[in-house]
Amino acid sequence: MLISYSKVITTKSRIYVKTYEHPILSGYTRNKRIALERLAEGHVQGITQQERSAFSLYRTQENIKLVIEDNITPFSKFVTFTFAQAPKDRREAIKAFKSFARAWHRKYGEKLNYLYVLERGKRYTKRLHIHAVLFNDRYITLTEMRELWRYGSARVNAIDHTGNIGLYMVKYITKDTMTLTNKKGYISCKGLIQPSETLYPDPLLIDPSMCDYIKHFTRPLYNNKGEIVSHSKVLLQEIRTLKDIIPHDKKG
């Protein structure tokens, strides 16, 4: 059982440090963890469904961004796949992408590494389409891409740097895309690298001048029924090296 006030998330390009107002708990049963988190908060406040949905959306966007960062390659691509004939439903769209992945494997002799979301158009037909990140470190032409995708058109989206693909992708993650795709918010192949997480029992101190990015937000706290009853503050800091964390014996 572990009570932690900080979490360090490491991808191959960035390091994120989260410091919590109230501790996160691991190693407990769900009911015990909920009870302790509620006790740590000390009081109950009503949380609206809108706030609950907003946090769920933020968490999905953050997860997608981290997974993309940890799997990106110099020739990764952010591609939008559209359908000439509208799919009947999400299952038909997913089946089409699986067919595309098999065609990739046949042509190049390698597994397609991917992550994608489904989105419905906002005008006219409101036809389903797919926003995908293809992680394979292989240069292919747009003509080749369209030959593999036999269901309509494929467009490789312009990105100023492959390291920013995650930032572009999360713009397409909305409550509607989460409903269309699945509970996780995205569909991906097996075997993608997952960001590593390390928990620390004490709040970590970082010199703000060493941070590339700082953000304040909140996370939900639950009652013993699993309902969100309040929020707890979280500080998110992005650093370049673990050496930027000040050791506890040098604090204060």
Side-chain angles (χ1 to χ4, degrees), residues 22 48 52-53 57 63 93 100 106 122 124 138 148 150 154 157-158 168 172 185-186 190 206 208 224 245 247:
H22 297 97
T48 66
R52 182 183 187 129
S53 297
L57 176 60
N63 289 343
F100 168 74
R106 286 194 300 268
K122 295 179 175 60
Y124 310 118
R138 171 184 291 275
L148 294 173
R150 301 178 291 105
N157 300 280
Y168 282 84
Y172 292 94
Y186 64 90
K190 295 181 180 179
I206 300 171
N224 55 10
I245 298 175

Side-chain angles (χ1 to χ4, degrees), residues 1-2 25-37:
M1 298 181 182
L2 181 65
L25 310 172
S26 56
Y28 293 91
T29 64
R30 174 176 170 80
N31 288 341
K32 181 68 173 179
R33 175 177 57 79
I34 290 172
L36 288 173
E37 287 188 345

Side-chain angles (χ1 to χ4, degrees), residues 22-188:
H22 297 97
I24 55 176
L25 310 172
S26 56
Y28 293 91
T29 64
R30 174 176 170 80
N31 288 341
K32 181 68 173 179
R33 175 177 57 79
I34 290 172
L36 288 173
E37 287 188 345
R38 188 184 184 194
L39 179 63
E41 173 62 10
H43 62 280
V44 175
Q45 299 173 351
I47 296 300
T48 66
Q49 181 61 40
Q50 183 178 7
E51 290 174 313
R52 182 183 187 129
S53 297
F55 179 79
S56 178
L57 176 60
Y58 169 79
R59 185 170 54 190
T60 299
Q61 291 172 331
E62 182 185 54
N63 289 343
I64 289 177
K65 180 174 176 289
L66 291 172
V67 171
I68 290 175
E69 283 182 11
D70 231 6
N71 290 274
I72 210 73
T73 65
F75 284 113
S76 291
K77 298 167 184 63
F78 179 30
V79 187
T80 297
F81 296 101
T82 58
F83 293 86
Q85 183 175 352
K88 296 177 182 178
D89 51 32
R90 64 181 295 275
R91 287 180 294 180
E92 192 169 298
I94 292 171
K95 183 178 179 181
F97 193 88
K98 287 180 178 179
S99 177
F100 168 74
R102 289 193 295 268
W104 179 289
H105 185 270
R106 286 194 300 268
K107 183 174 180 64
Y108 301 114
E110 65 183 20
K111 171 191 169 186
L112 177 64
N113 295 317
Y114 61 82
L115 179 153
Y116 70 88
V117 299
L118 299 171
E119 185 182 40
R120 193 174 296 281
K122 295 179 175 60
R123 295 183 179 182
Y124 310 118
T125 63
K126 296 187 177 181
R127 187 172 297 179
L128 283 173
H129 54 277
I130 295 171
H131 297 293
V133 179
L134 309 183
F135 296 107
N136 297 61
D137 198 14
R138 171 184 291 275
Y139 174 78
I140 69 170
T141 65
L142 181 58
T143 299
E144 289 177 295
M145 184 78 72
R146 288 174 173 170
E147 288 174 351
L148 294 173
W149 177 255
R150 301 178 291 105
Y151 302 92
S153 183
R155 182 182 75 250
V156 178
N157 300 280
I159 303 294
D160 55 4
H161 186 274
T162 55
N164 292 331
I165 286 180
L167 296 175
Y168 282 84
M169 185 65 163
V170 297
K171 294 178 181 178
Y172 292 94
I173 310 302
T174 65
K175 289 184 290 185
D176 291 336
T177 59
M178 289 177 63
T179 301
L180 272 173
T181 307
N182 57 25
K183 291 182 179 180
K184 189 168 63 173
Y186 64 90
I187 296 171
S188 63

Side-chain angles (χ1 to χ4, degrees), residues 174-232:
T174 65
K175 289 184 290 185
D176 291 336
T177 59
M178 289 177 63
T179 301
L180 272 173
T181 307
N182 57 25
K183 291 182 179 180
K184 189 168 63 173
Y186 64 90
I187 296 171
S188 63
C189 65
K190 295 181 180 179
L192 291 182
I193 300 170
Q194 299 298 316
S196 67
E197 296 186 356
T198 306
L199 298 173
Y200 292 84
D202 300 305
L204 297 178
L205 181 62
I206 300 171
D207 183 347
S209 66
M210 303 304 295
C211 297
D212 292 334
Y213 177 79
I214 298 176
K215 182 176 181 177
H216 297 267
F217 64 99
T218 59
R219 71 182 183 95
L221 296 173
Y222 300 85
N223 63 17
N224 55 10
K225 295 181 180 180
E227 301 167 336
I228 296 177
V229 294
S230 188
H231 280 167
S232 179

